[in-house]
């Protein structure tokens, strides 16, 4: 297992390593593919695709199909049920990583080997190094990161399945490396009760406020949730700081023990100061006030997380937002080499040693409607239907052949048994750093809403809502989170949007002007595509409905998903709800409902 020597090597030579990786990106990719094939061509999975004596690398793209999780699930299930992992990968699979993408309501299980796990642990160190190089003062204090874990699950084979971050937080490389620069004691991070964990981490962050130079979480949604928790608990936190005693409901022994060396004495002056800041009606810039030395907020704010940018900018009061990296349970894609770029301009640079990457071209706008790949056998690389709005989809290209300005879905071949696997994320290539492509994260390919022939993707929905909310901004109204569902309980069915709204500067519910809200509905519908509009015109889909919910309603939704097993640290509010219970929760917070004009189309 990597230890202090390796950490030191990365901190000493990390920038040189990055230069070498990106300058030799093509060669590294080719070597990686070759190595994976030499080791694994004989596995049950791969051997089917090669005729005896064939050159594996030359025939890889022609023979091996591009697959989705559902295609390889039978192999993964066999391994999870106790068959040898060599059916998929020559090296032993040592654990599974649970991905948030679901397969029939369950997390996907992504195989992982000791080697690939170790390789991946280098990424957070490189991210940290780049941030420290670009943001002065970051190495002179601590990071207040809100990190959480989720219980591991044992598969019938005895192999454990956990979130990548949960496994990572338990490693020596984390404990001896980044954790040393974090405010949160490791035992508060590893506490399985997310509420106790959150409370203790916030308490520590407040007690060590003068030392904190960076605040963050993996995804922006976690940070938004933490701020809401602070709103609910700041009085109790202040009381603990004033008295020097930890609340009794923090019952986890490891948390209590860890906190005993931080909450050591009454600090009434600190408590008064925090109270004074939190009592302010407006929490605008509260992060800067509570943590005056903070140089940046580090959290993923691209893709669906971009909905939290206004909120974090509001609470941050001008502190730069840094979106550090991009990846998935399957593979790390890239890191942000310009941490201070504006959230909407963030590009990530591919790390070519993390996986063998291929790129499936998709529509001009990254949307998924016209994509119909033939994914099997020799024609795996071929075409799609084109529609009125899109370009023809070509064969996948490798890293050396991506074009600036084009959109691609990522396909990975990994060091742990995934071969030409579609991750489902779409990227837009924006440039190159040395020989490595840089990209903006566009979105998951998922279709989220569907009635009749219409298929509205996450991208379509997010674009439509981005346009509509512009109407609210001049009125000082903030859209903090949204979701949706297709209501087909009546015929014709309709799409329903849930919006959580609040006034900028307070959590007050805005006065809802029916005309304006209806206008928002109209803009959303207008922004949907040709198929939607023609179905709506023909009466196959009825007028879109917008339900406004009060502040805090989406937190209840998160509690619901967490109670069902979602991880608080990887939680992303679903852009579309599939469960009736989830819809019910949002309906309970409803304060107004509005419809698009019936005769709009
Ligand atoms: P998981 O596999 O559960 O860790 O989820 C990974 C997914 O989170 C990716 O496939 C993306 O859809 C999303 N994601 C990861 N990094 C980013 C990023 N930088 N920006 C936007 N979405 C991201």
């Amino acid at each position: 297992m990597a230890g202090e020597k390796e950490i030191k090597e990365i901190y000493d030579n990390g920038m040189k390593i990055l230069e070498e990786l990106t300058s030799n990106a093509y060669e590294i990719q080719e070597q990686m593919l070759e190595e994976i094939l030499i080791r694994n061509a004989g596995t049950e999975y791969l051997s089917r695709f090669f005729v005896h004596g064939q050159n594996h690398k030359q025939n890889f793209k022609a023979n091996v199909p591009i697959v989705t999780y559902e295609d390889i699930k039978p192999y993964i299930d066999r391994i999870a049920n106790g068959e040898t992992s060599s059916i998929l990968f020559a090296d032993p699979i040592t654990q599974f990583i649970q991905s948030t993408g679901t397969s029939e309501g369950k997390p996907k299980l992504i195989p992982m080997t000791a080697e690939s796990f170790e390789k991946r642990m280098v990424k957070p160190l490189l991210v940290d190094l780049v941030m420290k190089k670009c943001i002065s003062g970051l190495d002179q204090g601590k990071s207040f990161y809100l990190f959480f874990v989720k219980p591991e699950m044992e598969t019938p084979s005895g192999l454990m399945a956990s979130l990548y971050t949960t496994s990572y937080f338990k490693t020596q490389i984390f404990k001896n490396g980044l954790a040393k620069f974090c405010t949160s004691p490791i035992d508060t991070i590893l506490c399985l009760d997310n509420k106790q964990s959150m409370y203790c981490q916030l308490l520590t962050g407040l007690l060590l406020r003068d030392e904190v130079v960076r605040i963050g979480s993996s995804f922006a949604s976690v940070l938004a949730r933490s701020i809401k928790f602070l709103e609910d608990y700041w009085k109790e936190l202040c009381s603990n700081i004033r008295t020097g005693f930890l609340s009794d409901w923090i019952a986890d022994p490891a948390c209590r023990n860890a906190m005993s060396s931080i909450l050591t004495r009454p600090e009434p002056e600190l408590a008064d100061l925090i109270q004074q800041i939190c009592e302010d009606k407006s929490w605008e810039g509260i992060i800067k006030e509570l943590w005056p030395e903070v140089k940046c907020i580090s959290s993923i704010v691209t893709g669906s997380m971009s909905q939290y940018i206004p909120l974090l900018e509001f609470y941050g009061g001008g502190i730069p937002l840094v979106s550090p990296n991009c990846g998935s349970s399957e593979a790390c894609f890239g890191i942000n080499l310009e941490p201070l770029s504006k959230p909407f301009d963030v590009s990530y640079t591919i790390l070519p040693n993390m996986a063998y990457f291929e790129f499936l071209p998709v529509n001009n706008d990254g949307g998924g409607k016209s994509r119909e790949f033939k994914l099997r056998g020799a024609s795996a690389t071929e075409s799609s239907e084109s529609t009125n709005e899109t370009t023809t989809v070509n064969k996948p290209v490798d890293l050396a052949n991506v074009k600036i300005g084009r959109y691609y879905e990522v396909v990975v071949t990994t060091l742990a048994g995934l071969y030409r696997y579609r991750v489902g994320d779409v990227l837009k290539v924006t440039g190159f750093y040395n020989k490595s492509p840089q990209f903006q994260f566009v979105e998951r390919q998922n279709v989220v809403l569907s009635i009749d022939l219409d298929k509205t993707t996450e991208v379509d929905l997010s674009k439509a809502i981005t346009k509509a909310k512009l109407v609210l901004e001049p009125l000082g109204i903030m859209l903090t989170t949204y979701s949706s569902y297709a209501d087909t309980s009546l015929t014709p069915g309709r799409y329903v949007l849930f919006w959580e709204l609040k006034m900028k500067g307070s959590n007050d519910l805005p006065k809802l002007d029916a005309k304006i809200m209806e206008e928002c509905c109209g803009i959303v519908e207008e922004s949907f595509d040709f198929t939607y509009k023609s179905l709506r015109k023909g009466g196959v889909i009825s007028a879109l409905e917008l339900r406004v919910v009060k502040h805090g309603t989406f937190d209840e939704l998160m509690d619901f998903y967490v109670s069902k097993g979602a991880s608080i640290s990887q939680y992303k509010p679903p852009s579309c709800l599939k469960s009736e219970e989830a819809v019910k929760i949002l309906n309970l917070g409803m304060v107004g409902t509005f419809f698009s004009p019936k005769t709009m189309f």
Side-chain angles (χ1 to χ4, degrees):
M1 183 61 68
E4 288 192 17
K5 215 172 114 214
E6 286 78 2
I7 297 171
K8 187 170 175 327
E9 159 74 10
I10 289 166
Y11 276 117
D12 289 347
N13 295 315
M15 293 319 286
K16 201 169 139 226
I17 297 173
L18 269 176
E19 283 301 313
E20 280 170 10
L21 280 177
T22 51
S23 301
N24 301 309
Y26 307 163
E27 294 80 1
I28 292 171
Q29 284 279 282
E30 290 307 310
Q31 277 163 16
M32 177 170 261
L33 180 61
E34 184 145 13
E35 199 185 313
I36 292 173
L37 292 176
I38 287 172
R39 280 206 233 166
N40 301 295
T43 57
E44 182 185 319
Y45 181 82
L46 271 188
S47 61
R48 296 177 297 153
F49 305 119
F50 297 112
V51 177
H52 184 67
Q54 241 182 7
N55 180 309
H56 300 127
K57 198 168 152 215
Q58 265 171 21
N59 292 289
F60 175 71
K61 290 184 187 168
N63 293 7
V64 178
I66 296 178
V67 294
T68 63
Y69 183 78
E70 299 309 321
D71 296 313
I72 56 160
K73 188 169 178 292
Y75 288 85
I76 291 183
D77 286 348
R78 280 168 61 192
I79 299 169
N81 287 324
E83 271 191 61
T84 166
S85 60
S86 62
I87 56 177
L88 205 54
F89 200 73
D91 290 354
I93 286 167
T94 46
Q95 65 179 109
F96 291 107
I97 299 297
Q98 292 180 14
S99 159
T100 44
T102 55
S103 162
E104 294 162 4
K106 297 195 188 120
K108 295 176 188 164
L109 295 182
I110 308 298
M112 179 64 71
T113 64
E115 183 192 4
S116 60
F117 188 77
E118 214 164 289
K119 213 167 196 171
R120 211 191 272 197
M121 286 195 293
V122 172
K123 183 208 69 183
L125 297 174
L126 289 176
V127 166
D128 190 52
L129 187 74
V130 171
M131 283 178 74
K132 283 183 173 151
K133 188 169 175 287
C134 298
I135 304 172
S136 66
L138 269 196
D139 49 359
Q140 272 140 40
K142 294 208 164 194
S143 297
F144 175 23
Y145 274 119
L146 288 135
F147 287 141
F148 301 92
V149 295
K150 196 179 159 233
E152 292 170 309
M153 174 187 108
E154 189 172 355
T155 61
S157 64
L159 287 173
M160 299 306 282
S162 66
L163 296 180
Y164 173 76
T165 42
T166 298
S167 287
Y168 171 62
F169 294 147
K170 292 182 176 174
T171 62
Q172 289 308 319
I173 200 164
F174 176 68
K175 290 181 184 170
N176 296 332
L178 294 181
K180 288 197 169 159
F181 304 100
C182 290
T183 51
S184 301
I186 187 77
D187 284 326
T188 64
I189 294 174
L190 296 181
C191 172
L192 286 172
D193 179 332
N194 291 152
K195 195 171 159 194
Q196 294 186 51
S197 167
M198 171 86 87
Y199 188 90
C200 293
Q201 294 194 55
L202 278 171
L203 185 55
T204 313
L206 290 170
L207 284 162
L208 304 179
R209 69 188 280 270
D210 292 331
E211 292 178 50
V212 174
V213 288
R214 165 168 48 181
I215 182 164
S217 63
S218 45
F219 288 99
S221 53
V222 180
L223 210 48
R225 167 76 172 182
S226 308
I227 295 168
K228 174 70 177 49
F229 192 94
L230 184 63
E231 278 176 359
D232 294 342
Y233 283 88
W234 66 264
K235 287 188 184 136
E236 187 175 336
L237 289 161
C238 281
S239 151
N240 286 188
I241 295 170
R242 181 166 290 112
T243 59
F245 287 110
L246 185 63
S247 295
D248 288 339
W249 63 271
I250 305 296
D252 182 87
C255 275
R256 286 204 80 86
N257 185 38
M259 293 309 292
S260 67
S261 56
I262 293 168
L263 184 64
T264 50
R265 61 194 162 92
E267 291 201 56
E269 281 123 50
L270 178 60
D272 284 347
L273 182 64
I274 295 169
Q275 179 173 343
Q276 205 185 351
I277 295 170
C278 293
E279 267 172 356
D280 207 336
K281 178 150 170 33
S282 168
W283 272 33
E284 184 162 11
I286 189 114
I287 293 179
K288 203 164 177 45
E289 289 193 46
L290 286 175
W291 294 281
E293 299 303 322
V294 162
K295 311 281 183 274
C296 71
I297 298 173
S298 168
S299 210
I300 290 174
V301 290
T302 46
S304 64
M305 292 296 135
S306 62
Q307 58 174 298
Y308 296 100
I309 293 172
L311 203 78
L312 294 183
E313 285 181 340
F314 176 79
Y315 290 119
I319 301 172
L321 278 184
V322 176
S323 196
N325 60 296
C326 183
S328 69
S329 302
E330 290 86 349
C332 159
F333 309 153
I335 64 175
N336 180 356
L337 295 183
E338 289 178 37
L340 288 174
S341 49
K342 294 262 172 286
F344 285 108
D345 299 333
V346 168
S347 279
Y348 304 98
T349 302
I350 298 240
L351 293 179
N353 61 339
M354 289 288 156
Y356 178 72
F357 293 99
E358 290 176 86
F359 301 86
L360 274 171
V362 298
N363 312 353
N364 280 339
D365 62 356
K369 288 210 171 183
S370 69
R371 298 170 55 263
E372 274 296 322
F373 299 104
K374 288 179 189 164
L375 295 172
R376 294 263 162 210
S379 58
T381 54
E382 279 319 315
S383 67
S384 91
E385 293 167 3
S386 68
T387 65
N388 50 340
E389 53 172 301
T390 61
T391 54
T392 302
V393 176
N394 293 313
K395 61 183 183 179
V397 294
D398 53 24
L399 177 144
N401 291 310
V402 294
K403 299 271 180 294
I404 295 176
R406 296 267 173 90
Y407 292 79
Y408 302 92
E409 183 185 339
V410 197
V411 175
V412 292
T413 296
T414 69
L415 281 164
L418 301 179
Y419 307 101
R420 309 196 87 195
Y421 172 98
R422 292 169 72 175
V423 178
D425 288 326
V426 175
L427 317 174
K428 178 187 179 187
V429 175
T430 52
F432 287 85
Y433 182 81
N434 293 327
K435 296 278 174 55
S436 253
Q438 296 184 295
F439 63 87
Q440 282 181 344
F441 184 90
V442 179
E443 205 35 278
R444 281 215 162 210
Q445 274 289 20
N446 301 348
V447 168
V448 286
L449 290 170
S450 180
I451 290 179
D452 200 79
L453 287 180
D454 182 68
K455 295 203 182 313
T456 295
T457 63
E458 206 164 0
V459 179
D460 302 330
L461 185 64
S462 145
K463 277 187 183 165
I465 291 176
T466 304
K467 273 191 202 158
K469 74 174 185 186
L470 291 179
V471 175
L472 303 177
E473 282 171 8
L475 305 172
I477 301 174
M478 281 173 88
L479 170 61
T480 54
T481 316
Y482 68 81
S483 193
S484 64
Y485 84 111
D487 181 3
T488 47
S489 59
L490 295 174
T491 309
R494 62 159 48 95
Y495 293 161
V496 177
L497 304 184
F498 290 99
W499 284 12
E500 191 177 293
L501 298 179
K502 72 183 205 77
M503 291 307 293
K504 210 172 177 176
S506 77
N507 288 337
D508 296 347
L509 186 73
K511 202 168 155 288
L512 300 172
D513 180 327
K515 239 175 116 194
I516 290 177
M517 300 318 293
E518 284 163 12
E519 190 185 338
C520 290
C521 298
I523 296 172
V524 171
E525 286 204 298
E526 189 56 58
S527 164
F528 285 164
D529 77 350
F530 173 78
T531 314
Y532 178 87
K533 286 180 195 159
S534 55
L535 292 173
R536 173 87 159 79
K537 197 171 173 184
V540 180
I541 297 181
S542 59
L544 178 131
E545 183 183 356
L546 170 55
R547 296 181 192 163
V548 176
V549 298
K550 62 174 186 280
H551 183 62
T553 307
F554 272 79
D555 286 328
E556 306 210 19
L557 185 70
M558 177 171 177
D559 290 340
F560 166 73
Y561 282 115
V562 168
S563 76
K564 295 265 172 223
S567 140
I568 190 169
S569 57
Q570 279 178 310
Y571 177 77
K572 306 162 191 90
S575 46
C576 177
L577 305 173
K578 302 285 180 211
S579 118
E580 271 181 38
E581 258 185 290
V583 171
K584 261 191 210 153
I585 290 167
L586 292 189
N587 278 341
L588 282 175
M590 189 163 69
V591 288
T593 176
F594 307 91
F595 292 87
S596 234
K598 284 208 172 52
T599 53
M600 202 174 144
F601 298 106

